[in-house]
Amino acid sequence: MTHSTSSAQAWQDEYSTRIMKSAALPLAELVRGEGCYVWDSEGTKYLDFLAGIAVNALGHAHPVLVDAVSRQIATLAHVSNYFATPPQLELAERLLRLSGGDRVFFGNSGAEAIEAAIKLARRTGRPRILALQDSFHGRTMGSLSLTGKPALREPFEPLLPNVEHIDSTVEALEAALGSDVAALVVEPIKGEAGVVDLPAGYLAAARELTSRHGTLLIIDEIQTGAGRTGSWFAFQQHGIVPDAIALAKGIGGGVPIGALIAYGAAADLLTAGQHGSTFGGNPLATAAANAVLGEIERAGLVENARRRGDELRRILAGLPLVEEVRGAGLLIGVGLSGALAPAVTSAAMAAGLIVNAPNDTSIRIAPPLIIGDTEIAEFTEKFTTALEAVAAKGPE
Ligand SMILES: *Cc1c(COP(=O)(O)O)cnc(C)c1O
């Protein structure tokens, strides 16, 4: 059986009989990518403005990443945590320099970065952890315990005890904090909720309040990190220093890697033997992250994310069905004037554009950080076509 030239019917049949039913049927079978484009198994080309959910920071098959990974896998791919490697130490130096943090733990995914954060919080000796309603922190049992979406949580309860999901208001935080709260875990922008901003001043107030109570402020930068929001990390736009940040998605540019960076006293909470991961920080993944972050720096892609994000925001605000434009840099949420998001993503696919609907009323736009004038013009044309097609059909 060939897997290279399957018809839609063939891959769909294979997928639905062989892959665990935990996810909905995929939108297409993709076979190749280059820059900001991907191709499916029927030869259709798409402009990719989702980038594997804010992962492919350099787009697809970027020569710098391909080269770094190829060279590293031909040199030393994996050694276990009984050994140090140059790419691992280089990435630690780079991440601490960019984030201002003091120590880093390497894992393989966002959920694992959050698991490390939960273990860090446990080491304070305090039982309670606060997270926000409608937040997303991952799907493992620990990270799911923090995720503030009842529909995702309920099938797997009981989860971790002593986790409370509070409103995203300073008042709710003030009411929930106390000397028994180990940590507050927050996304600076709620990606899976539809790219929803925190209320203005929330993070600064949260820093104030958590410091006063000796509670760790842990920021989930898994979706917002690696330059996407127009600064290396989103928290840096709020004039605060957190106790820890969780990273994954964009830092590896498509190679799985996660990290927890801790600041100050929090950096010394985990002691020898208390946490680990076989693959965590292996030379292959850390070489990939060095290449991605190095290229973001070299090519000025943080600045590009800010500038292109502003451009896209201006364009989006003038398009049909668009009620609200949220987010920062190249993590953009488009609030639609009704439950039209699934129809818009389908119409966009039909027009050769990949965007995503994290919920019925929101479109998420998270293109590679390398986009320029050409991609913006093409996006505008295709997205307008999609919105007009849905608008023409009228309300569902
Ligand atoms: C994607 C995501 C996670 C989970 O990351 P995985 O790599 O899928 O485990 C956690 N938090 C946020 C904010 C995310 O966007």
Side-chain angles (χ1 to χ4, degrees), residues 53 108-112 114 136-140 143 187 189 191-192 220-224 248-249 257 364:
I53 317 183
N108 311 288
S109 66
E112 282 179 74
I114 296 293
F136 184 84
H137 298 292
R139 304 281 210 144
T140 57
S143 64
E187 296 163 270
I189 298 170
E192 299 308 301
D220 181 343
E221 294 261 8
I222 290 165
Q223 195 158 149
T224 51
K249 292 204 165 91
I257 181 167
R364 171 170 45 192

mmCIF file with all atom_site columns, all heavy atoms in Angstrom, residues 53 108-112 114 136-140 143 187 189 191-192 220-224 248-249 257 364, ligand 1:
data_model
loop_
_atom_site.group_PDB
_atom_site.id
_atom_site.type_symbol
_atom_site.label_atom_id
_atom_site.label_alt_id
_atom_site.label_comp_id
_atom_site.label_asym_id
_atom_site.label_entity_id
_atom_site.label_seq_id
_atom_site.pdbx_PDB_ins_code
_atom_site.Cartn_x
_atom_site.Cartn_y
_atom_site.Cartn_z
_atom_site.occupancy
_atom_site.B_iso_or_equiv
_atom_site.pdbx_formal_charge
_atom_site.auth_seq_id
_atom_site.auth_comp_id
_atom_site.auth_asym_id
_atom_site.auth_atom_id
_atom_site.pdbx_PDB_model_num
ATOM   1   N N   . ILE A 1 53  ? 0.217  25.220 14.393 1.00 0.00 ? 53  ILE A N   1
ATOM   2   C CA  . ILE A 1 53  ? -0.158 25.904 15.642 1.00 0.00 ? 53  ILE A CA  1
ATOM   3   C C   . ILE A 1 53  ? 1.050  26.595 16.269 1.00 0.00 ? 53  ILE A C   1
ATOM   4   O O   . ILE A 1 53  ? 1.569  26.187 17.312 1.00 0.00 ? 53  ILE A O   1
ATOM   5   C CB  . ILE A 1 53  ? -0.849 24.980 16.676 1.00 0.00 ? 53  ILE A CB  1
ATOM   6   C CG1 . ILE A 1 53  ? -1.873 24.060 16.009 1.00 0.00 ? 53  ILE A CG1 1
ATOM   7   C CG2 . ILE A 1 53  ? -1.530 25.836 17.761 1.00 0.00 ? 53  ILE A CG2 1
ATOM   8   C CD1 . ILE A 1 53  ? -2.653 23.175 16.979 1.00 0.00 ? 53  ILE A CD1 1
ATOM   9   N N   . ASN A 1 108 ? 10.180 17.567 26.266 1.00 0.00 ? 108 ASN A N   1
ATOM   10  C CA  . ASN A 1 108 ? 9.919  17.319 24.843 1.00 0.00 ? 108 ASN A CA  1
ATOM   11  C C   . ASN A 1 108 ? 8.649  17.937 24.306 1.00 0.00 ? 108 ASN A C   1
ATOM   12  O O   . ASN A 1 108 ? 8.346  17.771 23.131 1.00 0.00 ? 108 ASN A O   1
ATOM   13  C CB  . ASN A 1 108 ? 9.847  15.810 24.600 1.00 0.00 ? 108 ASN A CB  1
ATOM   14  C CG  . ASN A 1 108 ? 11.025 15.117 25.235 1.00 0.00 ? 108 ASN A CG  1
ATOM   15  O OD1 . ASN A 1 108 ? 12.140 15.235 24.755 1.00 0.00 ? 108 ASN A OD1 1
ATOM   16  N ND2 . ASN A 1 108 ? 10.783 14.428 26.330 1.00 0.00 ? 108 ASN A ND2 1
ATOM   17  N N   . SER A 1 109 ? 7.885  18.595 25.144 1.00 0.00 ? 109 SER A N   1
ATOM   18  C CA  . SER A 1 109 ? 6.590  19.108 24.694 1.00 0.00 ? 109 SER A CA  1
ATOM   19  C C   . SER A 1 109 ? 6.125  20.176 25.662 1.00 0.00 ? 109 SER A C   1
ATOM   20  O O   . SER A 1 109 ? 6.720  20.364 26.741 1.00 0.00 ? 109 SER A O   1
ATOM   21  C CB  . SER A 1 109 ? 5.553  17.981 24.680 1.00 0.00 ? 109 SER A CB  1
ATOM   22  O OG  . SER A 1 109 ? 5.307  17.543 26.006 1.00 0.00 ? 109 SER A OG  1
ATOM   23  N N   . GLY A 1 110 ? 5.047  20.832 25.281 1.00 0.00 ? 110 GLY A N   1
ATOM   24  C CA  . GLY A 1 110 ? 4.458  21.830 26.155 1.00 0.00 ? 110 GLY A CA  1
ATOM   25  C C   . GLY A 1 110 ? 3.925  21.209 27.432 1.00 0.00 ? 110 GLY A C   1
ATOM   26  O O   . GLY A 1 110 ? 4.166  21.718 28.538 1.00 0.00 ? 110 GLY A O   1
ATOM   27  N N   . ALA A 1 111 ? 3.200  20.110 27.276 1.00 0.00 ? 111 ALA A N   1
ATOM   28  C CA  . ALA A 1 111 ? 2.631  19.465 28.458 1.00 0.00 ? 111 ALA A CA  1
ATOM   29  C C   . ALA A 1 111 ? 3.734  19.105 29.460 1.00 0.00 ? 111 ALA A C   1
ATOM   30  O O   . ALA A 1 111 ? 3.569  19.270 30.666 1.00 0.00 ? 111 ALA A O   1
ATOM   31  C CB  . ALA A 1 111 ? 1.855  18.212 28.048 1.00 0.00 ? 111 ALA A CB  1
ATOM   32  N N   . GLU A 1 112 ? 4.866  18.642 28.950 1.00 0.00 ? 112 GLU A N   1
ATOM   33  C CA  . GLU A 1 112 ? 5.965  18.283 29.852 1.00 0.00 ? 112 GLU A CA  1
ATOM   34  C C   . GLU A 1 112 ? 6.588  19.502 30.528 1.00 0.00 ? 112 GLU A C   1
ATOM   35  O O   . GLU A 1 112 ? 7.073  19.398 31.665 1.00 0.00 ? 112 GLU A O   1
ATOM   36  C CB  . GLU A 1 112 ? 7.052  17.529 29.089 1.00 0.00 ? 112 GLU A CB  1
ATOM   37  C CG  . GLU A 1 112 ? 6.693  16.086 28.850 1.00 0.00 ? 112 GLU A CG  1
ATOM   38  C CD  . GLU A 1 112 ? 7.791  15.391 28.080 1.00 0.00 ? 112 GLU A CD  1
ATOM   39  O OE1 . GLU A 1 112 ? 8.846  15.098 28.670 1.00 0.00 ? 112 GLU A OE1 1
ATOM   40  O OE2 . GLU A 1 112 ? 7.602  15.179 26.887 1.00 0.00 ? 112 GLU A OE2 1
ATOM   41  N N   . ILE A 1 114 ? 4.843  22.051 31.407 1.00 0.00 ? 114 ILE A N   1
ATOM   42  C CA  . ILE A 1 114 ? 3.871  22.343 32.465 1.00 0.00 ? 114 ILE A CA  1
ATOM   43  C C   . ILE A 1 114 ? 3.986  21.327 33.610 1.00 0.00 ? 114 ILE A C   1
ATOM   44  O O   . ILE A 1 114 ? 3.893  21.688 34.789 1.00 0.00 ? 114 ILE A O   1
ATOM   45  C CB  . ILE A 1 114 ? 2.433  22.369 31.898 1.00 0.00 ? 114 ILE A CB  1
ATOM   46  C CG1 . ILE A 1 114 ? 2.285  23.523 30.882 1.00 0.00 ? 114 ILE A CG1 1
ATOM   47  C CG2 . ILE A 1 114 ? 1.401  22.481 33.010 1.00 0.00 ? 114 ILE A CG2 1
ATOM   48  C CD1 . ILE A 1 114 ? 2.388  24.923 31.465 1.00 0.00 ? 114 ILE A CD1 1
ATOM   49  N N   . PHE A 1 136 ? -5.625 26.885 28.527 1.00 0.00 ? 136 PHE A N   1
ATOM   50  C CA  . PHE A 1 136 ? -5.151 25.602 28.001 1.00 0.00 ? 136 PHE A CA  1
ATOM   51  C C   . PHE A 1 136 ? -3.691 25.424 28.396 1.00 0.00 ? 136 PHE A C   1
ATOM   52  O O   . PHE A 1 136 ? -2.849 26.267 28.103 1.00 0.00 ? 136 PHE A O   1
ATOM   53  C CB  . PHE A 1 136 ? -5.277 25.536 26.477 1.00 0.00 ? 136 PHE A CB  1
ATOM   54  C CG  . PHE A 1 136 ? -4.888 24.184 25.933 1.00 0.00 ? 136 PHE A CG  1
ATOM   55  C CD1 . PHE A 1 136 ? -5.810 23.144 25.898 1.00 0.00 ? 136 PHE A CD1 1
ATOM   56  C CD2 . PHE A 1 136 ? -3.593 23.937 25.499 1.00 0.00 ? 136 PHE A CD2 1
ATOM   57  C CE1 . PHE A 1 136 ? -5.452 21.881 25.419 1.00 0.00 ? 136 PHE A CE1 1
ATOM   58  C CE2 . PHE A 1 136 ? -3.230 22.676 25.029 1.00 0.00 ? 136 PHE A CE2 1
ATOM   59  C CZ  . PHE A 1 136 ? -4.160 21.656 24.984 1.00 0.00 ? 136 PHE A CZ  1
ATOM   60  N N   . HIS A 1 137 ? -3.395 24.305 29.063 1.00 0.00 ? 137 HIS A N   1
ATOM   61  C CA  . HIS A 1 137 ? -2.016 24.048 29.468 1.00 0.00 ? 137 HIS A CA  1
ATOM   62  C C   . HIS A 1 137 ? -1.529 22.669 29.053 1.00 0.00 ? 137 HIS A C   1
ATOM   63  O O   . HIS A 1 137 ? -0.416 22.288 29.407 1.00 0.00 ? 137 HIS A O   1
ATOM   64  C CB  . HIS A 1 137 ? -1.868 24.239 30.978 1.00 0.00 ? 137 HIS A CB  1
ATOM   65  C CG  . HIS A 1 137 ? -2.168 25.642 31.422 1.00 0.00 ? 137 HIS A CG  1
ATOM   66  N ND1 . HIS A 1 137 ? -1.371 26.720 31.089 1.00 0.00 ? 137 HIS A ND1 1
ATOM   67  C CD2 . HIS A 1 137 ? -3.208 26.146 32.129 1.00 0.00 ? 137 HIS A CD2 1
ATOM   68  C CE1 . HIS A 1 137 ? -1.899 27.834 31.596 1.00 0.00 ? 137 HIS A CE1 1
ATOM   69  N NE2 . HIS A 1 137 ? -3.017 27.514 32.230 1.00 0.00 ? 137 HIS A NE2 1
ATOM   70  N N   . GLY A 1 138 ? -2.362 21.900 28.328 1.00 0.00 ? 138 GLY A N   1
ATOM   71  C CA  . GLY A 1 138 ? -1.912 20.596 27.856 1.00 0.00 ? 138 GLY A CA  1
ATOM   72  C C   . GLY A 1 138 ? -2.884 19.493 28.216 1.00 0.00 ? 138 GLY A C   1
ATOM   73  O O   . GLY A 1 138 ? -3.901 19.728 28.875 1.00 0.00 ? 138 GLY A O   1
ATOM   74  N N   . ARG A 1 139 ? -2.539 18.278 27.777 1.00 0.00 ? 139 ARG A N   1
ATOM   75  C CA  . ARG A 1 139 ? -3.478 17.155 27.833 1.00 0.00 ? 139 ARG A CA  1
ATOM   76  C C   . ARG A 1 139 ? -3.029 16.015 28.732 1.00 0.00 ? 139 ARG A C   1
ATOM   77  O O   . ARG A 1 139 ? -3.758 15.037 28.881 1.00 0.00 ? 139 ARG A O   1
ATOM   78  C CB  . ARG A 1 139 ? -3.646 16.587 26.420 1.00 0.00 ? 139 ARG A CB  1
ATOM   79  C CG  . ARG A 1 139 ? -4.087 17.619 25.406 1.00 0.00 ? 139 ARG A CG  1
ATOM   80  C CD  . ARG A 1 139 ? -5.566 17.871 25.519 1.00 0.00 ? 139 ARG A CD  1
ATOM   81  N NE  . ARG A 1 139 ? -6.102 18.247 24.223 1.00 0.00 ? 139 ARG A NE  1
ATOM   82  C CZ  . ARG A 1 139 ? -7.297 17.898 23.785 1.00 0.00 ? 139 ARG A CZ  1
ATOM   83  N NH1 . ARG A 1 139 ? -8.091 17.159 24.532 1.00 0.00 ? 139 ARG A NH1 1
ATOM   84  N NH2 . ARG A 1 139 ? -7.732 18.283 22.618 1.00 0.00 ? 139 ARG A NH2 1
ATOM   85  N N   . THR A 1 140 ? -1.798 16.053 29.266 1.00 0.00 ? 140 THR A N   1
ATOM   86  C CA  . THR A 1 140 ? -1.407 15.011 30.212 1.00 0.00 ? 140 THR A CA  1
ATOM   87  C C   . THR A 1 140 ? -2.192 15.248 31.503 1.00 0.00 ? 140 THR A C   1
ATOM   88  O O   . THR A 1 140 ? -2.754 16.331 31.709 1.00 0.00 ? 140 THR A O   1
ATOM   89  C CB  . THR A 1 140 ? 0.102  15.079 30.513 1.00 0.00 ? 140 THR A CB  1
ATOM   90  O OG1 . THR A 1 140 ? 0.405  16.385 31.007 1.00 0.00 ? 140 THR A OG1 1
ATOM   91  C CG2 . THR A 1 140 ? 0.929  14.813 29.256 1.00 0.00 ? 140 THR A CG2 1
ATOM   92  N N   . SER A 1 143 ? -1.041 18.474 33.414 1.00 0.00 ? 143 SER A N   1
ATOM   93  C CA  . SER A 1 143 ? -1.303 19.717 32.673 1.00 0.00 ? 143 SER A CA  1
ATOM   94  C C   . SER A 1 143 ? -2.800 19.888 32.418 1.00 0.00 ? 143 SER A C   1
ATOM   95  O O   . SER A 1 143 ? -3.308 21.008 32.435 1.00 0.00 ? 143 SER A O   1
ATOM   96  C CB  . SER A 1 143 ? -0.496 19.755 31.372 1.00 0.00 ? 143 SER A CB  1
ATOM   97  O OG  . SER A 1 143 ? -0.879 18.737 30.489 1.00 0.00 ? 143 SER A OG  1
ATOM   98  N N   . GLU A 1 187 ? -1.530 31.886 30.921 1.00 0.00 ? 187 GLU A N   1
ATOM   99  C CA  . GLU A 1 187 ? -1.098 32.212 29.560 1.00 0.00 ? 187 GLU A CA  1
ATOM   100 C C   . GLU A 1 187 ? -1.196 33.733 29.408 1.00 0.00 ? 187 GLU A C   1
ATOM   101 O O   . GLU A 1 187 ? -2.228 34.306 29.741 1.00 0.00 ? 187 GLU A O   1
ATOM   102 C CB  . GLU A 1 187 ? -2.042 31.607 28.526 1.00 0.00 ? 187 GLU A CB  1
ATOM   103 C CG  . GLU A 1 187 ? -2.117 30.110 28.466 1.00 0.00 ? 187 GLU A CG  1
ATOM   104 C CD  . GLU A 1 187 ? -3.379 29.682 27.703 1.00 0.00 ? 187 GLU A CD  1
ATOM   105 O OE1 . GLU A 1 187 ? -4.435 29.511 28.333 1.00 0.00 ? 187 GLU A OE1 1
ATOM   106 O OE2 . GLU A 1 187 ? -3.305 29.526 26.480 1.00 0.00 ? 187 GLU A OE2 1
ATOM   107 N N   . ILE A 1 189 ? -1.561 35.297 26.674 1.00 0.00 ? 189 ILE A N   1
ATOM   108 C CA  . ILE A 1 189 ? -2.671 35.424 25.736 1.00 0.00 ? 189 ILE A CA  1
ATOM   109 C C   . ILE A 1 189 ? -3.236 34.004 25.639 1.00 0.00 ? 189 ILE A C   1
ATOM   110 O O   . ILE A 1 189 ? -2.480 33.065 25.403 1.00 0.00 ? 189 ILE A O   1
ATOM   111 C CB  . ILE A 1 189 ? -2.196 35.883 24.339 1.00 0.00 ? 189 ILE A CB  1
ATOM   112 C CG1 . ILE A 1 189 ? -1.546 37.277 24.412 1.00 0.00 ? 189 ILE A CG1 1
ATOM   113 C CG2 . ILE A 1 189 ? -3.352 35.880 23.339 1.00 0.00 ? 189 ILE A CG2 1
ATOM   114 C CD1 . ILE A 1 189 ? -0.831 37.693 23.128 1.00 0.00 ? 189 ILE A CD1 1
ATOM   115 N N   . GLY A 1 191 ? -4.353 31.211 23.931 1.00 0.00 ? 191 GLY A N   1
ATOM   116 C CA  . GLY A 1 191 ? -4.345 30.777 22.529 1.00 0.00 ? 191 GLY A CA  1
ATOM   117 C C   . GLY A 1 191 ? -5.511 29.880 22.156 1.00 0.00 ? 191 GLY A C   1
ATOM   118 O O   . GLY A 1 191 ? -6.261 30.161 21.221 1.00 0.00 ? 191 GLY A O   1
ATOM   119 N N   . GLU A 1 192 ? -5.660 28.786 22.907 1.00 0.00 ? 192 GLU A N   1
ATOM   120 C CA  . GLU A 1 192 ? -6.706 27.810 22.556 1.00 0.00 ? 192 GLU A CA  1
ATOM   121 C C   . GLU A 1 192 ? -8.105 28.339 22.838 1.00 0.00 ? 192 GLU A C   1
ATOM   122 O O   . GLU A 1 192 ? -9.086 27.812 22.335 1.00 0.00 ? 192 GLU A O   1
ATOM   123 C CB  . GLU A 1 192 ? -6.498 26.488 23.311 1.00 0.00 ? 192 GLU A CB  1
ATOM   124 C CG  . GLU A 1 192 ? -5.190 25.794 23.020 1.00 0.00 ? 192 GLU A CG  1
ATOM   125 C CD  . GLU A 1 192 ? -4.925 25.597 21.538 1.00 0.00 ? 192 GLU A CD  1
ATOM   126 O OE1 . GLU A 1 192 ? -5.739 24.937 20.873 1.00 0.00 ? 192 GLU A OE1 1
ATOM   127 O OE2 . GLU A 1 192 ? -3.913 26.112 21.042 1.00 0.00 ? 192 GLU A OE2 1
ATOM   128 N N   . ASP A 1 220 ? 2.752  30.524 31.095 1.00 0.00 ? 220 ASP A N   1
ATOM   129 C CA  . ASP A 1 220 ? 2.740  29.539 30.022 1.00 0.00 ? 220 ASP A CA  1
ATOM   130 C C   . ASP A 1 220 ? 2.944  30.273 28.696 1.00 0.00 ? 220 ASP A C   1
ATOM   131 O O   . ASP A 1 220 ? 2.017  30.837 28.133 1.00 0.00 ? 220 ASP A O   1
ATOM   132 C CB  . ASP A 1 220 ? 1.419  28.761 30.037 1.00 0.00 ? 220 ASP A CB  1
ATOM   133 C CG  . ASP A 1 220 ? 1.373  27.689 28.949 1.00 0.00 ? 220 ASP A CG  1
ATOM   134 O OD1 . ASP A 1 220 ? 2.179  27.752 28.012 1.00 0.00 ? 220 ASP A OD1 1
ATOM   135 O OD2 . ASP A 1 220 ? 0.499  26.801 29.036 1.00 0.00 ? 220 ASP A OD2 1
ATOM   136 N N   . GLU A 1 221 ? 4.203  30.256 28.237 1.00 0.00 ? 221 GLU A N   1
ATOM   137 C CA  . GLU A 1 221 ? 4.575  30.934 26.984 1.00 0.00 ? 221 GLU A CA  1
ATOM   138 C C   . GLU A 1 221 ? 4.728  29.922 25.854 1.00 0.00 ? 221 GLU A C   1
ATOM   139 O O   . GLU A 1 221 ? 5.448  30.171 24.879 1.00 0.00 ? 221 GLU A O   1
ATOM   140 C CB  . GLU A 1 221 ? 5.902  31.692 27.177 1.00 0.00 ? 221 GLU A CB  1
ATOM   141 C CG  . GLU A 1 221 ? 5.831  32.847 28.148 1.00 0.00 ? 221 GLU A CG  1
ATOM   142 C CD  . GLU A 1 221 ? 5.678  34.203 27.443 1.00 0.00 ? 221 GLU A CD  1
ATOM   143 O OE1 . GLU A 1 221 ? 5.478  34.235 26.207 1.00 0.00 ? 221 GLU A OE1 1
ATOM   144 O OE2 . GLU A 1 221 ? 5.755  35.221 28.160 1.00 0.00 ? 221 GLU A OE2 1
ATOM   145 N N   . ILE A 1 222 ? 4.060  28.786 26.000 1.00 0.00 ? 222 ILE A N   1
ATOM   146 C CA  . ILE A 1 222 ? 4.239  27.719 25.012 1.00 0.00 ? 222 ILE A CA  1
ATOM   147 C C   . ILE A 1 222 ? 3.798  28.177 23.624 1.00 0.00 ? 222 ILE A C   1
ATOM   148 O O   . ILE A 1 222 ? 4.457  27.884 22.633 1.00 0.00 ? 222 ILE A O   1
ATOM   149 C CB  . ILE A 1 222 ? 3.482  26.450 25.489 1.00 0.00 ? 222 ILE A CB  1
ATOM   150 C CG1 . ILE A 1 222 ? 4.216  25.877 26.719 1.00 0.00 ? 222 ILE A CG1 1
ATOM   151 C CG2 . ILE A 1 222 ? 3.366  25.416 24.381 1.00 0.00 ? 222 ILE A CG2 1
ATOM   152 C CD1 . ILE A 1 222 ? 3.416  24.869 27.517 1.00 0.00 ? 222 ILE A CD1 1
ATOM   153 N N   . GLN A 1 223 ? 2.709  28.924 23.565 1.00 0.00 ? 223 GLN A N   1
ATOM   154 C CA  . GLN A 1 223 ? 2.217  29.402 22.271 1.00 0.00 ? 223 GLN A CA  1
ATOM   155 C C   . GLN A 1 223 ? 2.735  30.810 21.945 1.00 0.00 ? 223 GLN A C   1
ATOM   156 O O   . GLN A 1 223 ? 2.918  31.171 20.785 1.00 0.00 ? 223 GLN A O   1
ATOM   157 C CB  . GLN A 1 223 ? 0.679  29.396 22.268 1.00 0.00 ? 223 GLN A CB  1
ATOM   158 C CG  . GLN A 1 223 ? 0.070  29.511 20.889 1.00 0.00 ? 223 GLN A CG  1
ATOM   159 C CD  . GLN A 1 223 ? -1.357 28.981 20.807 1.00 0.00 ? 223 GLN A CD  1
ATOM   160 O OE1 . GLN A 1 223 ? -2.149 29.466 20.024 1.00 0.00 ? 223 GLN A OE1 1
ATOM   161 N NE2 . GLN A 1 223 ? -1.713 27.984 21.597 1.00 0.00 ? 223 GLN A NE2 1
ATOM   162 N N   . THR A 1 224 ? 2.979  31.608 22.976 1.00 0.00 ? 224 THR A N   1
ATOM   163 C CA  . THR A 1 224 ? 3.338  33.019 22.776 1.00 0.00 ? 224 THR A CA  1
ATOM   164 C C   . THR A 1 224 ? 4.850  33.254 22.660 1.00 0.00 ? 224 THR A C   1
ATOM   165 O O   . THR A 1 224 ? 5.259  34.323 22.225 1.00 0.00 ? 224 THR A O   1
ATOM   166 C CB  . THR A 1 224 ? 2.828  33.859 23.968 1.00 0.00 ? 224 THR A CB  1
ATOM   167 O OG1 . THR A 1 224 ? 3.262  33.226 25.181 1.00 0.00 ? 224 THR A OG1 1
ATOM   168 C CG2 . THR A 1 224 ? 1.314  33.964 23.973 1.00 0.00 ? 224 THR A CG2 1
ATOM   169 N N   . ALA A 1 248 ? 7.634  25.681 24.508 1.00 0.00 ? 248 ALA A N   1
ATOM   170 C CA  . ALA A 1 248 ? 7.662  24.520 23.602 1.00 0.00 ? 248 ALA A CA  1
ATOM   171 C C   . ALA A 1 248 ? 7.365  25.068 22.200 1.00 0.00 ? 248 ALA A C   1
ATOM   172 O O   . ALA A 1 248 ? 7.981  26.038 21.795 1.00 0.00 ? 248 ALA A O   1
ATOM   173 C CB  . ALA A 1 248 ? 6.678  23.438 24.020 1.00 0.00 ? 248 ALA A CB  1
ATOM   174 N N   . LYS A 1 249 ? 6.405  24.478 21.511 1.00 0.00 ? 249 LYS A N   1
ATOM   175 C CA  . LYS A 1 249 ? 5.966  24.903 20.174 1.00 0.00 ? 249 LYS A CA  1
ATOM   176 C C   . LYS A 1 249 ? 7.076  25.563 19.340 1.00 0.00 ? 249 LYS A C   1
ATOM   177 O O   . LYS A 1 249 ? 7.907  24.874 18.788 1.00 0.00 ? 249 LYS A O   1
ATOM   178 C CB  . LYS A 1 249 ? 4.728  25.795 20.284 1.00 0.00 ? 249 LYS A CB  1
ATOM   179 C CG  . LYS A 1 249 ? 3.499  25.020 20.779 1.00 0.00 ? 249 LYS A CG  1
ATOM   180 C CD  . LYS A 1 249 ? 2.185  25.641 20.364 1.00 0.00 ? 249 LYS A CD  1
ATOM   181 C CE  . LYS A 1 249 ? 1.026  24.673 20.553 1.00 0.00 ? 249 LYS A CE  1
ATOM   182 N NZ  . LYS A 1 249 ? 0.367  24.732 21.839 1.00 0.00 ? 249 LYS A NZ  1
ATOM   183 N N   . ILE A 1 257 ? 10.437 19.827 21.336 1.00 0.00 ? 257 ILE A N   1
ATOM   184 C CA  . ILE A 1 257 ? 11.245 20.223 22.493 1.00 0.00 ? 257 ILE A CA  1
ATOM   185 C C   . ILE A 1 257 ? 10.385 21.111 23.390 1.00 0.00 ? 257 ILE A C   1
ATOM   186 O O   . ILE A 1 257 ? 9.549  21.878 22.899 1.00 0.00 ? 257 ILE A O   1
ATOM   187 C CB  . ILE A 1 257 ? 12.549 20.955 22.065 1.00 0.00 ? 257 ILE A CB  1
ATOM   188 C CG1 . ILE A 1 257 ? 13.387 21.323 23.299 1.00 0.00 ? 257 ILE A CG1 1
ATOM   189 C CG2 . ILE A 1 257 ? 12.255 22.183 21.201 1.00 0.00 ? 257 ILE A CG2 1
ATOM   190 C CD1 . ILE A 1 257 ? 14.818 21.748 22.981 1.00 0.00 ? 257 ILE A CD1 1
ATOM   191 N N   . ARG A 1 364 ? -7.964 31.622 14.371 1.00 0.00 ? 364 ARG A N   1
ATOM   192 C CA  . ARG A 1 364 ? -6.601 31.868 14.851 1.00 0.00 ? 364 ARG A CA  1
ATOM   193 C C   . ARG A 1 364 ? -5.655 31.954 13.661 1.00 0.00 ? 364 ARG A C   1
ATOM   194 O O   . ARG A 1 364 ? -5.674 31.092 12.787 1.00 0.00 ? 364 ARG A O   1
ATOM   195 C CB  . ARG A 1 364 ? -6.141 30.763 15.791 1.00 0.00 ? 364 ARG A CB  1
ATOM   196 C CG  . ARG A 1 364 ? -4.650 30.850 16.138 1.00 0.00 ? 364 ARG A CG  1
ATOM   197 C CD  . ARG A 1 364 ? -4.260 29.895 17.254 1.00 0.00 ? 364 ARG A CD  1
ATOM   198 N NE  . ARG A 1 364 ? -4.830 28.573 17.089 1.00 0.00 ? 364 ARG A NE  1
ATOM   199 C CZ  . ARG A 1 364 ? -4.834 27.642 18.041 1.00 0.00 ? 364 ARG A CZ  1
ATOM   200 N NH1 . ARG A 1 364 ? -4.308 27.896 19.211 1.00 0.00 ? 364 ARG A NH1 1
ATOM   201 N NH2 . ARG A 1 364 ? -5.364 26.464 17.811 1.00 0.00 ? 364 ARG A NH2 1
HETATM 202 C C1  . LIG B 2 .   ? 0.075  23.807 22.927 1.00 0.00 ? 1   LIG B C1  1
HETATM 203 C C2  . LIG B 2 .   ? 0.011  24.329 24.289 1.00 0.00 ? 1   LIG B C2  1
HETATM 204 C C3  . LIG B 2 .   ? 0.280  23.515 25.401 1.00 0.00 ? 1   LIG B C3  1
HETATM 205 C C4  . LIG B 2 .   ? 0.550  22.043 25.285 1.00 0.00 ? 1   LIG B C4  1
HETATM 206 O O1  . LIG B 2 .   ? 1.662  21.775 24.506 1.00 0.00 ? 1   LIG B O1  1
HETATM 207 P P1  . LIG B 2 .   ? 1.882  20.303 23.925 1.00 0.00 ? 1   LIG B P1  1
HETATM 208 O O2  . LIG B 2 .   ? 3.209  20.383 23.236 1.00 0.00 ? 1   LIG B O2  1
HETATM 209 O O3  . LIG B 2 .   ? 0.745  20.049 22.981 1.00 0.00 ? 1   LIG B O3  1
HETATM 210 O O4  . LIG B 2 .   ? 1.861  19.358 25.051 1.00 0.00 ? 1   LIG B O4  1
HETATM 211 C C5  . LIG B 2 .   ? 0.251  24.097 26.660 1.00 0.00 ? 1   LIG B C5  1
HETATM 212 N N1  . LIG B 2 .   ? -0.014 25.396 26.818 1.00 0.00 ? 1   LIG B N1  1
HETATM 213 C C6  . LIG B 2 .   ? -0.265 26.215 25.779 1.00 0.00 ? 1   LIG B C6  1
HETATM 214 C C7  . LIG B 2 .   ? -0.534 27.657 26.008 1.00 0.00 ? 1   LIG B C7  1
HETATM 215 C C8  . LIG B 2 .   ? -0.284 25.701 24.477 1.00 0.00 ? 1   LIG B C8  1
HETATM 216 O O5  . LIG B 2 .   ? -0.571 26.505 23.453 1.00 0.00 ? 1   LIG B O5  1
#
